[in-house]
């Protein structure tokens, strides 16, 4: 394994990491992948929609060199001219912290804005976020739905519930209710159910290499296979809680098809009342992304395509591409985002009804 210190150590590890093998197996150019996926993310943020001095805040951001993320339709979002967490110490760092702490902006990775942009929740709706902490997606939805829409932000882990409550308070959001349940066992509400659900499930983070360098050393192909059942179970619970005609977004910060397309294939077989629907591209106009996969191959622990899929650790037939043509057609409606597409992290989203 490569040394973890310095850029040379990172690049050396990227050359041999199973994560690079995963990217290659998906048809991503190896050199482009390593070039972009080893670089720090730019600082990005959302401008709070209903803050009383939004004009002043916007001027401060533009003065810092902020550039609008034009594909963030319905929410002003910006990319700043420095790496995440590396604001200059000329007053910029202090001002940016002040803007965030006072609820004028929310620092958020650009890719993680996608679930709410895709779901497009509306006022007067009731939305459930199954795995809400630290709260960037729940608060994003709440701002768009205010003042008449309500977000139920659920988080099972006590320490993360505190972060969720802090972010709700930081933004002075009165339409967010916080609950603490295992996402697989969230209780029912009176019929007809939730209008919209966010299932941004726990994952291996294989698409987070630009903000979490440890992924280059820690990620292995068996990780997604160990997460699969948890992801299916959380998404299935969401499907059970959704009202007829309601919409649910499933998302991960992983590019592993076992955590993404394979989960969606299993979900629509397990919950036959659910269907994958087309994403309205006008909600993210200008974003470069890719259709979901309909073919992929299991990898061994070195990140190589295995000649005998049944021999990889924790193998299950459900991790393979489905043979049903209708399901394959549904998977093509999902979307993948790669780091080199828009100078972001990677992401996966699927919209279901």
């Amino acid at each position: 394994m490569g040394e973890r210190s310095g850029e040379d150590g990172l690049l050396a590890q990227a050359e041999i990491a199973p994560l690079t093998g995963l990217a290659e197996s998906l048809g991503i150019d190896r050199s482009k992948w390593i070039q972009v996926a080893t670089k720090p993310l730019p600082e990005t943020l959302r401008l709070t929609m209903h803050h009383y001095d939004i004009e002043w805040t916007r001027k401060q951001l533009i003065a810092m060199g902020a550039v609008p993320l034009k594909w963030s339709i319905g929410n002003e979002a910006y990319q700043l001219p420095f790496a995440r967490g590396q604001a200059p110490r000329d007053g910029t760092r202090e001002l940016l912290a002040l803007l965030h702490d006072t609820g004028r902006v929310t620092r958020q990775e650009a890719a993680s804005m996608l679930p709410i942009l895709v779901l497009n929740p509306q006022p007067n709706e009731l939305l459930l976020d199954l795995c809400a902490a630290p709260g960037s997606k729940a608060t994003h939805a709440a701002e768009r739905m205010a003042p008449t829409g309500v977000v139920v932000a659920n988080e099972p882990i006590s320490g993360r519930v505190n972060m969720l409550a802090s972010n709700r308070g930081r933004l002075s959001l009165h339409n967010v209710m916080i609950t603490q349940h295992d996402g697989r066992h969230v209780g029912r509400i009176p019929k007809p159910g939730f209008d919209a659900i966010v299932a941004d499930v726990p994952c291996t983070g294989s698409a987070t290499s630009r903000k979490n360098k440890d992924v280059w050393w820690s990620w292995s192909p068996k990780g997604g296979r160990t997460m699969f059942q948890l992801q299916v179970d959380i998404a299935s619970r969401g499907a059970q809680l959704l009202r007829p005609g309601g919409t649910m977004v499933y998302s991960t910060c992983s590019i592993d098809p076992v955590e993404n397309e394979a989960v969606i294939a299993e979900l629509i077989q397990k919950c036959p009342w659910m269907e994958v629907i087309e994403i309205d591209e006008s909600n993210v106009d200008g974003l470069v992304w890719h259709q979901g996969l309909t073919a992929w191959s299991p990898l061994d622990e070195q990140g190589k395509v295995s000649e005998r899929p049944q021999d990889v650790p924790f193998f299950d037939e459900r991790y393979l591409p489905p043979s049903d043509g209708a399901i394959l057609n549904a998977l093509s409606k999902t979307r993948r985002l790669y780091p080199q597409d828009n100078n972001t992290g990677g992401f996966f989203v699927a919209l279901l009804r």
Side-chain angles (χ1 to χ4, degrees), residues 232-299:
V232 169
D233 289 346
I234 292 173
S236 298
R237 188 56 181 160
Q240 293 166 351
L241 297 171
L242 193 65
R243 71 163 174 81
T247 50
M248 179 173 79
V249 64
Y250 174 90
S251 60
T252 73
C253 52
S254 177
I255 58 171
D256 185 351
V258 174
E259 301 179 77
N260 296 324
E261 288 89 351
V263 170
I264 295 300
E266 178 69 9
L267 175 65
I268 57 180
Q269 292 179 87
K270 184 177 179 181
C271 304
W273 63 91
M274 297 291 287
E275 62 173 341
V276 182
I277 60 175
E278 296 282 359
I279 293 171
D280 185 347
E281 302 274 350
S282 68
N283 290 333
V284 288
D285 188 31
L287 182 73
V288 177
W289 57 1
H290 308 267
Q291 281 189 335
L293 302 174
T294 56
W296 61 88
S297 301
L299 304 181

Side-chain angles (χ1 to χ4, degrees), residues 85-299:
Q86 298 298 316
R89 293 184 179 275
D90 58 0
T92 301
R93 179 179 297 231
E94 293 77 12
L95 178 56
L96 190 58
L98 178 68
L99 294 177
H100 178 84
D101 292 345
T102 57
R104 291 173 169 87
V105 303
T106 294
R107 286 164 145 173
Q108 183 179 7
E109 184 186 344
S112 77
M113 300 177 191
L114 287 177
I116 303 306
L117 295 174
V118 165
L119 186 60
N120 193 24
Q122 299 297 310
N124 299 313
E125 289 187 339
L126 179 61
L127 179 147
L128 170 65
D129 188 342
L130 285 161
C131 310
S136 57
K137 299 172 185 67
T139 57
H140 190 182
E143 287 180 40
R144 293 174 69 107
M145 298 166 67
T148 55
V150 174
V151 172
V152 177
N154 179 72
E155 172 56 42
I157 302 171
S158 296
R160 290 171 63 83
V161 170
N162 292 335
M163 289 192 291
L164 188 55
S166 294
N167 273 314
R168 178 182 64 177
R170 179 180 62 82
L171 292 162
S172 300
L173 291 168
H174 304 289
N175 61 332
V176 177
M177 176 190 301
I178 296 174
T179 62
Q180 185 178 2
H181 301 285
D182 186 319
R184 296 168 291 184
H185 308 297
V186 174
R188 289 189 178 277
I189 63 169
K191 291 182 178 181
F194 290 95
D195 300 295
I197 290 179
V198 178
D200 184 60
V201 300
C203 69
T204 62
S206 63
T208 66
S209 63
R210 298 186 68 184
K211 69 175 181 180
N212 179 15
K213 303 301 184 188
D214 286 344
V215 170
W216 289 107
W217 283 266
S218 63
W219 188 85
S220 73
K222 68 182 179 184
R225 296 190 280 269
T226 63
M227 297 294 293
F228 174 88
Q229 192 59 54
L230 174 64
Q231 294 162 336
V232 169
D233 289 346
I234 292 173
S236 298
R237 188 56 181 160
Q240 293 166 351
L241 297 171
L242 193 65
R243 71 163 174 81
T247 50
M248 179 173 79
V249 64
Y250 174 90
S251 60
T252 73
C253 52
S254 177
I255 58 171
D256 185 351
V258 174
E259 301 179 77
N260 296 324
E261 288 89 351
V263 170
I264 295 300
E266 178 69 9
L267 175 65
I268 57 180
Q269 292 179 87
K270 184 177 179 181
C271 304
W273 63 91
M274 297 291 287
E275 62 173 341
V276 182
I277 60 175
E278 296 282 359
I279 293 171
D280 185 347
E281 302 274 350
S282 68
N283 290 333
V284 288
D285 188 31
L287 182 73
V288 177
W289 57 1
H290 308 267
Q291 281 189 335
L293 302 174
T294 56
W296 61 88
S297 301
L299 304 181

